[in-house]
Amino acid sequence: MLARNRFLLLVVVGGAALAIISLSLQFLNLIPTTPIVEERPFQAIDGGLGVAVGKSRKRVFPVPHTQEPNPISEAYGYCNTPNRTEQAWEGHSPADYKLLSVQVMIRHGDRYPLYSIPKTKRPAIDCSLSISRRPSHPLLNSFINHMGQGGRGHWESPLVSVPRLPSHSVCEMGELTQTGVVQHLRNGQLLHQAYKRHNLLPADWSPRQLWVETTGKSRTLQSGLAFLYGFHPDFDWRKLTVRHQWSTLFCGSACDCPARNRYLEEEQKRQYRLRVADTELERTYADMARTLGLLTRQLRAANPIDSLLCHLCHGLSFPCVPMGDSGAGGCLTMAQFAVIRRQQLDDEVDRRRVGLYRKYAILAMYPYLNRTAAKMERVAKSSEAGRQPRAGSEEVFTLSSAHDVTMAPLLSALGLEEARFPRFAARVVFELWKSPPATQGQLKKRAGKVDKSKTKDGELFIRVLYNGEDVTFHTTFCRSHDRHAGQPLCPLKNFLSFVRKDMFSVVNATSYQGACYRRPG
């Protein structure tokens, strides 16, 4: 009897231990194992297309899995609510490497919906700024005051007439919210901390060293200003020129590309076919329309996911309508929202499988990537040994404030197909690094020979980071590079070769012009 009781005690204790271990493992999956909390991808809400899918593991890249992702938790990741401490890998390098330049693309922060659901009340959100309302930030009050001095800056047309701060007590469609401002104050402050020891933008910076560009939407302009203020508080407005990009692709004077438009049209057809074949999605839209007393096509045209995401991100109940004589009435539900989100995640998988979006992305983002490469080359040339550097002669920091329809194709063009779809206030960072000068004697010794020492200029390297994670070795141009070789970074020449020629192999061409104007067939 005593032995039997001991056996039962061991079973109970062992079972409890296993339960504790199991619970601990579950929490390990929730605690970030890398500096940035991961975000889930899904279709662009600003009218664009996304690029990736995977498991929620607090990483920029998904971990292979067999379970379906949870659409609701993934949507919360997209909100990017600024309620946690965040770290970043920007500014990290081997000892004695010199940071030459940084180019950043950001997606605007949290915004009010672009669409409204017929017969429902619009989300009750205040888009004016107040330090007494959450979320807030220590820099918010000084940021508001500093923006009042913006008349001293230089603004390319039509940015002169775009407000520098969100200000409506009842948000206008697409307006940046206080959450969006705080997201980018935090982003800018993160990079300020990451780069301050590198003296990237010195206190006496010249106007040429800082390049800021944005589309003409108030949400991108205001997001860019919030980021810049977090990065360089109380900057001198008189030195700042804010440049306008008329295209969301940031393609400047190289936007004409017929083949790019054809790939996008084919991709949209693929997306439509997948959507109409989803019977659960169609039933869900019909149920939602019946609740609201609408035709199904009216509801679908209103893009309800945009408004529902806003409700979710701001902790608001989903829209309701009163019961009517026709039997319509009730509230939209989280289950209906989850079906739409699930279909969006399915679409990401199919999009990657078919590959049309990647072809579109290559041609869409070549102009931006080519400008990025050209800026790096200019900075690298000015840093060559023996050259007399001109103070403030090159752009060392570039900020491009954009949309999801800009950043999603950028990620795809770089080969980051597994990257999380751009959340609110997402960021992509390109860093240019230079290794310490090496001597010919050191180089010969590495090769098994000995020679008299002659100084050789340092080598050039690139890092690419997405939401603070170093994704360089996931890119197409550096995926096969041996990072454990003599240098642990990716050679800049890999990136230059990719942009100037290699990237066009996806569309069976060798140049941008050749790819854009080749006849289909």
Side-chain angles (χ1 to χ4, degrees), residues 340-415:
I340 301 175
R341 285 284 295 111
R342 187 271 307 158
Q343 195 279 330
Q344 290 178 323
L345 297 176
D346 291 346
D347 179 77
E348 298 298 337
V349 175
D350 192 62
R351 177 176 301 149
R352 186 175 57 195
R353 178 187 64 81
V354 174
L356 286 168
Y357 185 78
R358 178 83 195 285
K359 294 178 180 180
Y360 159 76
I362 288 290
L363 299 182
M365 295 314 299
Y366 165 77
Y368 173 81
L369 287 171
N370 190 45
R371 282 196 300 132
T372 300
K375 288 182 180 183
M376 288 184 174
E377 283 187 305
R378 289 197 298 270
V379 172
K381 190 171 183 179
S382 69
S383 74
E384 288 176 355
R387 289 181 65 93
Q388 185 64 35
R390 292 182 298 161
S393 62
E394 298 298 340
E395 300 154 22
V396 294
F397 189 81
T398 297
L399 175 62
S400 303
S401 187
H403 304 261
D404 57 356
V405 293
T406 322
M407 191 171 287
L410 174 61
L411 294 170
S412 183
L414 291 171

Side-chain angles (χ1 to χ4, degrees), residues 218-285:
S218 62
R219 59 183 176 274
T220 50
L221 173 63
Q222 294 162 5
S223 292
L225 292 174
F227 184 101
L228 181 61
Y229 191 78
F231 179 71
H232 202 71
D234 299 317
F235 57 83
D236 188 343
W237 277 106
R238 295 168 299 178
K239 296 181 181 181
L240 181 67
T241 296
V242 184
R243 295 167 172 83
H244 177 242
Q245 279 285 349
W246 68 272
S247 170
T248 56
L249 296 180
F250 283 60
C251 46
S253 60
C255 289
D256 185 37
C257 184
R260 178 197 68 218
N261 299 335
R262 287 196 299 270
Y263 286 128
L264 182 58
E265 289 171 5
E266 289 300 313
E267 166 60 17
Q268 290 170 337
K269 290 176 183 177
R270 177 210 61 79
Q271 188 179 67
Y272 174 77
R273 289 192 297 268
L274 187 71
R275 187 170 63 246
V276 298
D278 193 318
T279 55
E280 184 186 27
L281 179 69
E282 291 304 302
R283 282 198 306 270
T284 298
Y285 272 128

